[in-house]
């Protein structure tokens, strides 16, 4: 399975795009995470921006379940954050950054992933996502061709060959095996647009089903959203379906979709304009088999296992045919007001008995119930048209629901609140029991289509262990209250309502999964995996010798998180985060303020600051040229000072001012050092600015080989294992298909690290590791054995690395390092180190 990460400046945009994409897949087969926004300000207002730590966390979250991860980005710094996230992540799952349109690409990628496509296939579908729209605009209206090309073009170096747009791929030769065919007609009003295409892709179930528009139209694979849209099939068009012998079931399933009009109505059976549910009882939901794994969106962390409990039956739609006699309408209308008053009073009573988020949400529901406009509109329907009180409320609510849902995003999530109030008022009018959560004494997992605020708030202090809903989003009241109550919750889990009551369910609110009838061993493993390994704030080996464990941070929020996690200091402060979303460099004063925010989180402790590392995969408009033939080997890191020395001078001055204003022990280092001359010049500039402890990054093989000479001019070095591996193996670390080469366990990389460690011991100087390898619990002992004197990582890795090192002596670390160095391959190095440690 392939996971998808959507990186957006706007939380609302990210959530809305995800909601649109997930509405297209109905089998729960897509794993998607959104890393959007940059938190909130003091007033709670969302901040536009992106956070590489959040992106890295999303990738690592998907890595536990997925064979690869595709990352889509909206614009600007989202690309930089996604690229930096590859340094921050702790997993080694193949990752590809897609140069695809954000919304269309996310839609295509999610559908391709849900259909079981490989990372290459999912990337191809995302890259081709604009083909249908471009083709339609070029065919139907005058188009500024230059503008279209500008909007869709990307540098060829940014797109792997395997991710070329689907439309550019050569037509596949006809299959040799016998194929069966079937002709169908497009019957729904809008033809094959995104939703029908998604249903076709899902129904193909991996079979080689092809569609061709007759006569003589283009052909498309049923599994490809982009090619299905390019078909341009409209109502009345005839389509030929074909599949190999043996795939009749998939062919029949797709034909049935056409016959049904994809659930949108057909030309000879118009759909009803009424927005409410049918008057008859809902159709039975297909049962979900034991052993099934459902996927949704984890909105409240934690793991819990208990038996499923479903909500009481919903209130059915009141009969529309009933007409109240004119002389009875005034009395009937008064029942509306009485019922609304009663429901509002009940909700206010519930609110008074609740606290926190639950209380506020229930109070808002009480206001909905007593809304004078709703009462007036429903009463008018009864008086003027003879609607029953229950029917009048239902129709007024239907109009409100339609208005909310048409707005999408967070506003659409409020529709559940309106439905809840509607059902309560209707139940009050008809004298029915209000649907809701049954009272039970045993722990349970509450499973529902969606939950109302009152239902969710009623869980406070009860026996509910977790929540699973088929609908809902991260800002729904289900999510908000679940987090406030500390209940694991998964929303948007397609098929959840098919879980039979009494089924043992394992809910993982971190990974967004729901497992049916798990074994005891599986429950124990999931519970253990969800347990955060504590870190007491002191890294050490088994003999008590100190090994500082530091954090990698990008801004003040990261620093505060790292300090709370127990980090002993900062081993890498990536200052380029302070330059994001800008077309010009920040002033010295702006930089001082940003740097002080990080330093203030670590009073009296070490903070190692890396000067601006722009260029290559992290370009900034005011620092880098628009185009370089080979940016990874071009003007990046310290080399920017060759073109713009003022950038470096201002940054060193700002760092010195920030250091003098805070009590943190500031050390500064330069990235992309290749020669001793560069190291010497940087050290002189930093010390002239008032910074005493100066070092360099070891990211190039030349710097590693010259480590002994580097120590003659600097006080410490820090190994950037990500770039060191990239340059040693001549393999782009952002290219997923070269993941086997960009592995820090590669013997060539380990031997360069060993050379640096040896030089550090000889000079009695510090050798830090701040690359991704520093947070790997398996590799950390080897790095220590090779001479690392500190390790820096993401805060979430501190506990795991501390536990791994705390169980080993320095001798065991050296033995593991020697065994790995003697290996010929990365796999052999891993195995040899593990054997050495186990002895």
């Amino acid at each position: 399975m392939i996971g998808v990460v959507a990186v957006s400046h706007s939380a609302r945009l990210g959530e809305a795009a995800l909601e649109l994409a997930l509405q297209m897949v109905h089998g729960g087969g897509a794993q998607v995470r959104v890393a959007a926004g940059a938190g909130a300000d003091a007033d709670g207002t969302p901040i536009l921006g992106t956070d590489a730590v959040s992106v890295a966390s999303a990738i690592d979250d998907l890595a536990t379940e997925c064979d690869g991860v595709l990352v889509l980005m909206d614009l600007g710094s989202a690309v930089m954050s996604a690229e930096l996230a590859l340094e921050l992540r702790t997993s080694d799952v193949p990752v590809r950054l897609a140069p695809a349109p954000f919304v269309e690409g996310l839609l295509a990628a999610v559908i391709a992933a849900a259909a079981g496509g490989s990372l290459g296939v999912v990337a191809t579908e995302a890259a081709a996502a604009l083909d249908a729209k471009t083709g339609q605009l070029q065919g139907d209206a005058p188009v500024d061709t230059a503008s279209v090309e500008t909007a869709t073009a990307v540098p060829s170096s940014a797109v792997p060959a395997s991710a070329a747009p689907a439309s550019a791929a050569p037509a596949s030769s006809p299959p040799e095996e016998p194929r069966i065919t079937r002709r169908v007609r497009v019957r729904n009003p809008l033809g094959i647009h995104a939703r029908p295409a998604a249903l076709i892709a899902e129904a193909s179930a991996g079979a080689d089903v092809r569609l061709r528009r007759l006569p003589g139209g283009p052909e498309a694979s049923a599994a490809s959203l982009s090619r299905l849209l390019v078909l341009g099939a409209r109502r009345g068009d005839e389509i030929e379906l074909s599949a190999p012998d043996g795939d009749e079931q998939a062919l029949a399933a797709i034909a049935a979709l056409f016959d049904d009009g994809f659930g949108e109505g057909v030309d000879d059976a118009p759909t009803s304009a009424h927005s409410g549910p049918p008057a008859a009882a809902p159709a039975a939901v297909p049962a979900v088999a034991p052993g099934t794994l459902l996927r949704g969106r984890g909105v409240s962390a934690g793991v819990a296992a208990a038996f499923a409990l479903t909500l009481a039956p919903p209130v059915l739609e009141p009969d529309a045919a009933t007409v109240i006699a004119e002389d009875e309408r005034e009395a009937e209308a008064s029942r509306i007001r009485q019922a609304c008053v009663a429901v509002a009073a009940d909700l206010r009573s519930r609110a008074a008995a609740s606290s926190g988020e639950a209380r506020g949400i229930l109070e808002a529901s009480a206001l909905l119930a007593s809304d004078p406009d709703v009462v007036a509109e429903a009463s008018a329907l009864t008086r003027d048209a003879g609607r029953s009180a229950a029917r009048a409320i239902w129709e007024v609510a239907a109009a409100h629901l339609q208005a909310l849902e048409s707005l999408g995003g967070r506003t659409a999530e409020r529709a559940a609140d309106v439905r809840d109030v509607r059902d309560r008022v209707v139940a009050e009018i008809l004298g029915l029991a209000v649907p809701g959560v049954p009272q039970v004494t045993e722990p349970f997992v509450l499973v529902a289509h969606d939950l109302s605020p009152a239902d969710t708030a009623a869980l406070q202090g009860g026996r509910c262990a977790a929540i699973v809903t088929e609908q809902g989003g991260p800002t729904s009241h289900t999510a908000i209250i679940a987090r406030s109550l500390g209940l694991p919750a998964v929303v948007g889990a397609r098929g959840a309502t098919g879980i039979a009551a009494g089924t043992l369910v394992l809910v993982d609110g971190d990974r967004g999964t729901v497992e049916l009838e798990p074994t005891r061993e599986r429950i124990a493993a999931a519970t253990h995996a969800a347990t955060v390994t504590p870190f007491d704030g002191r890294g050490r080996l088994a003999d008590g010798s100190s090994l500082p464990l530091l954090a990698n941070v990008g801004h003040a929020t990261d620093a505060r998180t790292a300090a709370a996690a127990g980090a002993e200091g900062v081993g890498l402060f990536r200052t380029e985060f302070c330059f994001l979303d800008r077309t010009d460099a920040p002033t010295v004063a702006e930089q001082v303020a940003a740097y002080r925010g990080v330093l203030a989180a670590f009073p009296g402790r070490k903070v190692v600051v890396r000067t601006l590392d722009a260029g290559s995969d992290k370009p900034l408009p005011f620092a880098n040229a628009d185009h370089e033939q080979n940016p990874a080997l071009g003007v990046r890191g310290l080399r920017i000072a060759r073109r713009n020395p003022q950038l470096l001078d201002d940054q060193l001055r700002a760092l010195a001012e920030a250091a003098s204003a805070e009590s943190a022990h500031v050390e500064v280092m330069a990235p992309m050092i290749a020669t001793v001359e560069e190291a010497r010049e940087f050290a002189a500039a930093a010390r002239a600015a008032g910074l005493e402890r100066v070092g360099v990054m070891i990211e190039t093989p030349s710097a590693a080989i010259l480590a002994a000479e580097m120590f003659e001019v600097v006080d410490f070095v820090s190994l950037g294992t990500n770039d060191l591996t990239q340059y040693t193996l001549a393999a782009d670390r952002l290219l997923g298909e070269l993941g086997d080469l960009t592995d820090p366990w590669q013997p060539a990389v380990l031997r360069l690290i060993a050379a640096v460690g040896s030089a550090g011991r000889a000079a009695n100087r510090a050798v830090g590791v701040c690359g991704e390898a520093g947070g790997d619990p398996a590799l950390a002992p080897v790095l220590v054995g090779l001479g690392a004197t500190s390790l820096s990582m993401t805060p979430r890795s501190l506990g795991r690395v501390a536990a791994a090192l705390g169980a080993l002596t320095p001798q065991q670390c050296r033995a593991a390092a020697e065994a790995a160095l003697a290996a010929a391959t990365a796999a052999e190095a891993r195995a040899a180190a593990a054997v050495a440690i186990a002895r």
Side-chain angles (χ1 to χ4, degrees):
M1 173 176 292
I2 301 303
V4 181
V5 174
V7 184
S8 174
H9 282 64
S10 167
R12 293 180 180 178
L13 172 61
E15 291 160 10
L18 175 61
E19 180 180 19
L20 174 64
L22 291 182
Q23 284 179 357
M24 301 298 170
V25 292
H26 303 275
Q31 271 285 60
V32 193
R33 298 290 183 273
V34 172
D41 61 20
D43 297 325
T45 303
I47 299 173
L48 293 179
T50 54
D51 184 350
V53 175
S54 296
V55 181
S57 179
I59 293 172
D60 289 338
D61 188 22
L62 290 172
T64 61
E65 289 290 327
C66 300
D67 302 315
V69 176
L70 185 73
V71 182
L72 294 103
M73 305 137 285
D74 56 9
L75 49 86
S77 67
V79 179
M80 183 179 294
S81 292
E83 292 169 336
L84 288 176
L86 300 184
E87 299 179 14
L88 295 170
R89 67 187 180 116
T90 60
S91 60
D92 57 0
V93 66
V95 177
R96 181 171 295 179
L97 307 186
F102 184 70
V103 176
E104 293 90 344
L106 179 61
L107 177 63
V110 167
I111 292 171
S118 66
L119 183 56
V121 168
V122 175
T124 297
E125 283 296 301
L130 279 182
D131 286 1
K133 184 187 292 184
T134 302
Q136 180 174 346
L137 290 176
Q138 289 175 335
D140 294 350
V143 177
D144 182 344
T145 306
S147 298
V148 171
E149 291 175 350
T150 301
T152 58
V154 293
S156 59
S157 60
V159 187
S162 61
S167 59
S172 57
S173 59
E176 297 180 359
E177 71 272 20
R179 296 180 70 84
I180 54 176
T181 62
R182 185 167 179 172
R183 290 192 177 190
V184 295
R185 190 170 296 278
V186 181
R187 304 178 66 196
N188 58 309
L190 298 179
I192 301 181
H193 56 92
R195 181 179 173 277
L199 291 172
I200 293 170
E202 183 179 11
S204 69
D208 180 23
V209 179
R210 297 182 178 275
L211 293 81
R212 184 166 64 90
R213 180 163 56 84
L214 300 175
E219 185 181 77
S221 166
S224 173
L225 176 74
S226 59
R227 297 189 188 185
L228 287 172
L229 295 177
V230 172
L231 279 179
R234 302 181 180 182
R235 183 170 67 173
D237 287 348
E238 191 173 25
I239 304 293
E240 181 186 79
L241 310 178
S242 70
D245 281 338
D247 285 337
E248 293 90 349
Q249 187 173 356
L251 203 64
I254 294 174
L257 289 173
F258 278 87
D259 290 341
D260 184 54
F262 302 97
E264 299 176 353
V266 296
D267 50 9
D268 54 356
T271 58
S272 168
H274 183 63
S275 61
V285 178
V288 181
T292 299
L293 177 68
L294 302 181
R295 300 182 188 279
R297 180 162 188 168
V299 294
S300 184
V303 170
F307 293 101
L309 180 70
T310 56
L311 290 177
V315 172
L316 298 181
E317 179 176 352
D319 184 10
T322 300
V323 177
I324 304 298
E326 287 192 22
D327 60 347
E328 297 176 359
R329 291 180 183 179
E330 192 61 42
E332 186 73 5
S334 68
R335 297 176 63 197
I336 295 173
R337 181 176 300 278
Q338 292 167 5
C340 289
V341 168
V343 169
D346 177 66
L347 289 169
R348 280 194 291 269
S349 176
R350 290 170 178 259
S354 302
S355 60
E357 297 278 4
R359 181 170 187 165
I361 290 170
L362 285 171
E363 288 173 344
S365 292
L367 291 175
L368 275 177
S370 58
D371 186 332
D373 288 344
V374 170
V375 174
E377 290 175 26
S379 299
L381 274 177
T382 297
R383 294 188 182 100
D384 299 339
R387 299 287 196 274
S388 69
R391 182 67 197 183
I393 282 290
W394 193 277
E395 291 188 12
V396 169
H400 285 244
L401 286 170
Q402 188 175 32
L404 285 172
E405 290 169 344
S406 68
L407 295 174
R410 299 185 181 190
T411 304
E413 292 176 0
R414 301 286 81 81
D417 310 354
V418 174
R419 289 191 188 93
D420 172 53
V421 171
R422 176 200 68 189
D423 290 352
R424 289 176 181 276
V425 173
V426 170
E428 179 69 24
I429 291 171
L430 300 178
L432 302 175
V434 177
V437 182
Q439 296 298 312
V440 295
T441 58
E442 298 298 321
F444 63 90
V445 171
L446 184 60
V447 179
H449 180 76
D450 202 355
L451 291 178
S452 69
D455 287 335
T456 316
L459 302 175
Q460 190 169 23
R463 301 294 289 164
C464 184
I467 299 171
V468 178
T469 65
E470 189 151 344
Q471 296 296 314
T475 61
S476 64
H477 285 151
T478 298
I480 294 169
I481 298 180
R483 286 191 289 266
S484 71
L485 299 179
L487 295 176
V490 175
V491 301
R494 300 284 183 177
T497 50
I499 300 174
T503 302
L504 181 61
V505 176
L506 174 62
V507 180
D508 190 328
D510 294 285
R511 293 160 55 197
T513 59
V514 182
E515 298 180 45
L516 276 59
E517 298 293 358
T519 63
R520 288 186 177 182
E521 292 76 15
R522 176 71 192 108
I523 293 173
T527 303
H528 176 74
T531 303
V532 177
T533 305
F535 179 50
D536 64 5
R538 184 188 166 203
R540 53 192 177 276
L541 301 178
D543 66 347
S545 56
S546 176
L547 199 291
L549 299 183
L550 314 172
N552 296 338
V553 305
H555 43 63
T557 301
D558 288 353
R560 290 191 290 270
T561 299
E568 297 178 73
V570 173
L572 173 62
F573 172 17
R574 296 181 170 96
T575 56
E576 54 270 12
F577 274 99
C578 302
F579 293 76
L580 295 180
D581 292 321
R582 300 185 64 111
T583 57
D584 57 349
T587 66
V588 171
E590 289 174 321
Q591 292 186 59
V592 170
Y595 302 154
R596 288 189 63 183
V598 172
L599 302 183
F602 288 92
R605 286 178 283 176
K606 179 168 72 172
V607 176
V608 181
V609 182
R610 182 178 69 187
T611 57
L612 182 62
D613 188 19
S616 183
D617 57 327
K618 300 183 288 289
L620 289 173
F622 54 83
N624 304 107
D626 290 339
H627 177 71
E628 291 184 18
Q629 290 296 327
N630 195 338
L633 302 179
V635 181
R636 60 168 298 192
L638 184 66
R639 299 173 183 178
I640 293 173
R642 300 185 182 196
R643 293 179 176 171
N644 191 344
Q646 192 63 45
L647 271 178
L648 179 62
D649 292 345
D650 286 350
Q651 186 169 27
L652 293 175
R653 176 185 161 195
L655 283 171
E657 288 187 26
S660 65
E662 301 291 340
S663 63
H665 302 310
V666 176
E667 303 181 2
V668 63
M669 61 183 179
M672 199 58 181
I673 292 291
T675 68
V676 175
E677 290 88 347
E678 288 176 326
R680 181 181 292 113
E681 291 172 6
F682 173 74
R687 288 169 180 146
L691 297 160
E692 298 178 0
R693 290 274 297 173
V694 183
V696 295
M697 294 280 291
I698 302 292
E699 299 171 290
T700 64
S702 67
I705 293 169
L706 292 169
E709 288 78 8
M710 294 287 182
F711 280 123
E712 294 178 2
V713 297
V714 298
D715 305 304
F716 68 94
V717 301
S718 187
L719 287 148
T721 55
N722 302 338
D723 271 327
L724 181 60
T725 303
Q726 168 178 253
Y727 292 127
T728 301
L729 277 295
D732 186 348
R733 61 190 176 91
L734 301 181
L735 194 57
E737 61 189 284
L738 300 183
D740 58 321
L741 296 178
T742 56
D743 184 344
W745 283 93
Q746 286 286 353
V749 177
L750 295 179
R751 292 174 193 180
L752 285 175
I753 294 173
V756 176
S758 177
R761 282 192 291 267
N764 194 28
R765 298 291 175 88
V767 176
V769 175
C770 63
E772 185 176 337
D776 183 344
L779 186 52
V782 173
L783 296 173
V784 173
L786 293 175
T789 59
S790 68
L791 302 175
S792 190
M793 63 206 72
T794 59
R796 62 183 178 276
S797 298
L798 290 166
R800 295 195 297 269
V801 173
L805 293 177
L808 302 175
T809 64
Q811 293 77 16
Q812 287 175 295
C813 291
R814 285 193 291 272
E818 291 170 3
L821 285 175
T825 69
E828 291 173 5
R830 279 191 181 89
V835 170
I837 288 173
R839 288 175 181 165

